[in-house]
Amino acid sequence: MEFARYDVNKYSPRQMVALPLVLLLLAGLLLGYTTLATGLPITPGIDFAGGTAVTVFTSDSRETVEATFAGYPVLSVGEGIGNGKYIQFGPMEDARYQSLVGLINERYPDAKIDQIGETFGKTLQGQAFLALIFSFIGMAVVVMIAFRNLVPAGAVVLSAFADIAITAGIMQIIGIPLSLGTTAALLMLIGYSVDSDILLTTRLLKRKGKLEEKLSGAFRTGIIMTTTTLMAIAAMWVVATAGQIQIIAEIASVLIIGLFVDIMNTWMLNAGILKEYVLRGNKK
């Protein structure tokens, strides 16, 4: 754990906050552009956009399955345990959907077909958006009550917001869609972000001692906590990827990305703001 001994005190507050703020700005521009183009900040999966999910058990290769349904809007073909294939189709007209069902029943009689209507998908969009908004507002209220000081509370809220925004931007870049599973991962990320930020804020503002010693101690504790969590989630990602459990793999991927982003925002953005706040208080 050599990284836990890294000296975070050698940087000025301005140097610490520069990179997170630049990445937050870039993420905001990307998410804003995607919102204008699709109506959502991240490209939606079939949970939110509507579509058809088909589960089949066949020895056909992925290429063969894609060729079979080449005339339909295939989004992805996932492979699972025991020759399982999970095929996702985008929204289509009713006549084309009936044609697809006929082809599936002819080629794969034992297939399981699940359809999500576009209207229902939009309803799920609204519910997921409200869940994120209310979770974030609830977190901000609790933090304000706990610290009763605008600067430390604002730093925690800003850091949590940056975690979500930058993680969402990376999801858009690497192609992880917004689904019910990845929305749940973003909600979990809010909770973990606040946990690490409150650890930092409590150590720096509530404990006595030199600022450098308190910051270094908080950094060691926080990095050990985050590394332990990352190892557990990485193991979950390996198992889910090996077993081709797509939804679990996507959740684990979002959490891994989010935890690395949280390390940056907690120990650079939040720590830089708090360091400047404490130094100005000492000067006064």
Side-chain angles (χ1 to χ4, degrees), residues 42-46 88 171 175-179 182-183 246 250 254:
I42 310 174
T43 301
I46 65 171
Q88 292 185 342
M171 287 172 59
I176 299 178
L178 185 64
S179 64
T182 53
T183 300
Q246 184 178 1
E250 288 180 353
V254 172

Side-chain angles (χ1 to χ4, degrees), residues 21 25 34 81 108 150 181 189 193-194 197-198 235 244 267 272 278:
L21 290 179
L25 176 61
T34 309
I81 300 172
Y108 307 109
L150 185 60
L189 188 60
S193 171
V194 172
D197 288 325
I198 287 179
Q244 294 294 326
W267 304 108
V278 173

Side-chain angles (χ1 to χ4, degrees), residues 92-189:
M92 63 190 86
E93 297 177 356
D94 187 63
R96 200 174 185 190
Y97 171 74
Q98 295 301 328
S99 173
L100 173 64
V101 171
L103 176 59
I104 293 171
N105 290 333
E106 176 185 345
R107 187 68 183 264
Y108 307 109
D110 298 327
K112 178 184 176 183
I113 303 174
D114 296 308
Q115 185 182 29
I116 300 176
E118 190 173 355
T119 302
F120 182 65
K122 289 183 178 179
T123 301
L124 290 179
Q125 284 182 29
Q127 292 175 347
F129 182 72
L130 287 176
L132 281 170
I133 293 297
F134 282 123
S135 297
F136 199 84
I137 291 175
M139 175 272 297
V141 170
V142 170
V143 169
M144 289 296 294
I145 293 174
F147 292 105
R148 298 180 183 179
N149 190 311
L150 185 60
V151 174
V156 172
V157 173
L158 177 62
S159 180
F161 175 76
D163 280 358
I164 300 301
I166 296 174
T167 301
I170 296 173
M171 287 172 59
Q172 179 64 20
I173 291 172
I174 65 178
I176 299 178
L178 185 64
S179 64
L180 291 175
T182 53
T183 300
L186 292 174
L187 289 171
M188 287 187 277
L189 188 60

